[in-house]
Amino acid sequence: MIENIREELARLEGLGLRRSFKVIVGPQGPVVRMDGREVLLMCSNDYLNLANHPLVKKAAIEATERWGASAGASRLVSGTMEPHAMLEERIRQFKGVEAALLFNSGYNANLALLSTLADRTAEVFSDRLNHASIVDACVLSRAKVTRYANRDIDALERLLKTSKARTRIIITDSVFSMDGTLAPLREITSLAERYGAMLIVDDAHATGVLGNTGQGSLEHFGIKNPDIIQMGTLGKALGSFGAFVAARKEVIDLLISKARPLIYTTALPPSVCAAAAKAIDIIEEDPSLLKRLWQNTGRLKERLSLAGLDTMESSTPIVPVLAGDAKKVMKISASLLDKGVFIQGIRPPTVPDGTARLRATLSAAHSTDDIDRAAAAIIEAFNVQ
Ligand SMILES: *Cc1c(COP(=O)(O)O)cnc(C)c1O
């Protein structure tokens, strides 16, 4: 048995696809300690630097003191505590929706949504570049799954037109996590309305990032449709952990009664809920956070584009730089780290073959100096390789 595993590891190594962890010493932030020295961190999803915000940490600590370290049971047994109820109400207000329900991660929430809303007779229309959790959720749903080319509205319409399924579900990332591009949500919403399809929007990288007040992609596009089912995460811009679904009350009620990834898992710890609720308060009270995030994003993209690097049509704080080959991108990433700039390379199967890329993510807490230093290092690393 162990021989097979060794062989598989060697095969992955040969392809430049063997993965390993890099340990960060101390909290997340624009600058972190790694391997005994300080490096500029430019691949965290902690967009607003809230993971280490004093008030977010204080909320988590106080919640632990008041409610303990664990929820001790699943939500439907005895694991629903005040922090869960309070956070769900906070999210409901923040998102301006009928109801919200917590999940233990975005991965879980996507599994829950598709396995609850789709059955064997349903057809799920899924963008080809949707997050891996949606791909897995499609499998778990046992529905017929039809994938359409990335952001291709015409392809989606053709498929909807010919579909014979009674239940049709369109699911899309709002921000494609490896490209930083946006789904054409206005057009997709119209198609969903026209063809009587349910629409699920994965706002993992949009929550706390897109829209004037950070509500997410629907705010960004000015879409007001209470039938849209939104999934957002708490572990990215909200600096905590977990996820939520925001939807009509009936959708939430059905998830509570049927979603196995909710029913058969222990509820989030109180500290995590309290931290996320505080993060929402901070985002609402301090619009300068979002402003700085987008200023930093514009600055990095401008520097890279001027140097002729391909940032792949990104229109968010996720900034990919196309390298192509998996080994090449890992070399570039390693050479950047040597210069004190930590940006991960992303390889297949996370991205399609031949499109390995460096993937930078910006933070509101990066200084202009940080951005300029990173840009110079990226440009140099690409020129050398
Ligand atoms: C990160 C991410 C998820 C998973 O969320 P977790 O809370 O980290 O499990 C789901 N969808 C997309 C698009 C993501 O980027």
Side-chain angles (χ1 to χ4, degrees):
M1 248 328 277
I2 195 71
E3 278 72 32
N4 299 349
I5 289 170
R6 285 187 189 127
E7 248 170 51
E8 177 62 4
L9 284 170
R11 189 185 71 82
L12 291 172
E13 184 87 45
L15 293 170
L17 298 180
R18 182 159 173 180
R19 298 162 189 249
S20 60
F21 298 128
K22 289 198 169 62
V23 178
I24 302 279
V25 179
Q28 295 284 316
V31 175
V32 294
R33 285 196 74 76
M34 260 173 77
D35 301 330
R37 69 213 170 95
E38 295 213 318
V39 299
L40 188 58
L41 175 62
M42 211 172 266
C43 54
S44 166
N45 302 317
D46 183 21
Y47 293 107
L48 303 176
N49 198 33
L50 293 178
N52 194 40
H53 192 290
L55 294 178
V56 173
K57 290 194 287 187
K58 185 160 169 264
I61 292 162
E62 284 177 2
T64 301
E65 282 177 347
R66 186 160 167 201
W67 288 291
S70 168
S74 64
R75 290 292 302 273
L76 285 160
V77 176
S78 59
T80 297
M81 303 169 73
E82 289 162 294
H84 302 96
M86 280 160 27
L87 177 56
E88 282 169 344
E89 175 54 22
R90 189 72 189 82
I91 291 168
R92 196 187 66 73
Q93 292 167 0
F94 175 60
K95 297 286 294 181
V97 292
E98 274 185 31
L101 178 62
L102 292 174
F103 285 87
N104 286 8
S105 69
Y107 188 101
N108 266 278
N110 281 333
L111 295 194
L113 280 168
L114 285 187
S115 61
T116 302
L117 300 176
D119 61 16
R120 280 171 207 280
T121 66
E123 183 166 3
V124 176
F125 302 87
S126 175
D127 187 290
R128 255 185 206 287
L129 290 194
N130 274 343
H131 190 257
S133 57
I134 295 177
V135 176
D136 295 1
C138 284
V139 175
L140 193 67
S141 77
R142 299 190 179 94
K144 176 175 179 194
V145 178
T146 308
R147 299 202 303 161
Y148 58 93
N150 180 230
R151 300 184 288 152
D152 188 337
I153 285 299
D154 297 333
L156 176 59
E157 175 154 30
R158 278 195 300 278
L159 294 165
L160 285 165
K161 232 178 220 163
T162 53
S163 171
K164 296 195 171 58
R166 212 165 53 91
T167 304
R168 299 155 182 196
I169 302 176
I170 304 168
I171 185 161
T172 184
D173 288 6
S174 54
V175 175
F176 290 93
S177 52
M178 297 300 133
D179 292 24
T181 50
L182 291 176
L185 281 182
R186 280 205 206 101
E187 293 80 356
I188 294 177
T189 302
S190 309
L191 287 183
E193 286 164 359
R194 191 164 337 135
Y195 292 95
M198 243 185 276
L199 173 56
I200 302 174
V201 173
D202 179 334
D203 248 359
H205 287 280
T207 307
V209 173
L210 284 182
N212 280 339
T213 64
Q215 279 171 33
S217 62
L218 299 194
E219 183 187 21
H220 171 84
F221 285 109
I223 298 169
K224 290 199 173 67
N225 179 333
D227 290 327
I228 297 176
I229 297 167
Q230 303 174 69
M231 193 289 282
T233 55
L234 310 175
K236 289 173 175 153
L238 298 194
S240 178
F241 181 69
F244 62 84
V245 170
R248 282 202 186 273
K249 177 133 193 342
E250 293 86 343
V251 173
I252 299 301
D253 285 346
L254 191 68
L255 287 168
I256 292 171
S257 291
K258 284 184 76 177
R260 296 167 67 90
L262 170 85
I263 298 171
Y264 298 106
T265 197
T266 301
L268 288 172
S271 55
V272 163
C273 300
K278 180 54 76 180
I280 295 173
D281 293 346
I282 293 168
I283 291 170
E284 282 190 344
E285 284 159 18
D286 183 4
S288 76
L289 278 175
L290 268 164
K291 199 167 149 229
R292 267 180 280 145
L293 173 64
W294 285 93
Q295 277 169 351
N296 285 345
T297 301
R299 191 176 182 95
L300 181 67
K301 279 187 191 152
E302 193 184 287
R303 294 281 185 283
L304 298 178
S305 305
L306 282 174
L309 292 177
D310 180 2
T311 55
M312 302 180 75
E313 297 174 41
S314 158
S315 45
T316 65
I318 296 171
V319 183
V321 190
L322 187 66
D325 179 67
K327 281 183 188 158
K328 176 176 163 187
V329 82
M330 295 325 281
K331 262 195 214 152
I332 290 173
S333 177
S335 82
L336 284 172
L337 193 53
D338 282 344
K339 291 184 211 126
V341 178
F342 181 27
I343 305 177
Q344 279 285 12
I346 309 286
R347 296 166 278 181
T350 310
V351 292
D353 277 332
T355 69
R357 67 202 63 175
L358 206 64
R359 174 179 175 273
T361 48
L362 279 306
S363 157
H366 286 128
S367 66
T368 50
D369 201 50
D370 291 340
I371 306 289
D372 293 350
R373 192 155 76 80
I378 294 169
I379 293 162
E380 193 194 328
F382 269 81
N383 285 340
V384 169
Q385 284 306 317

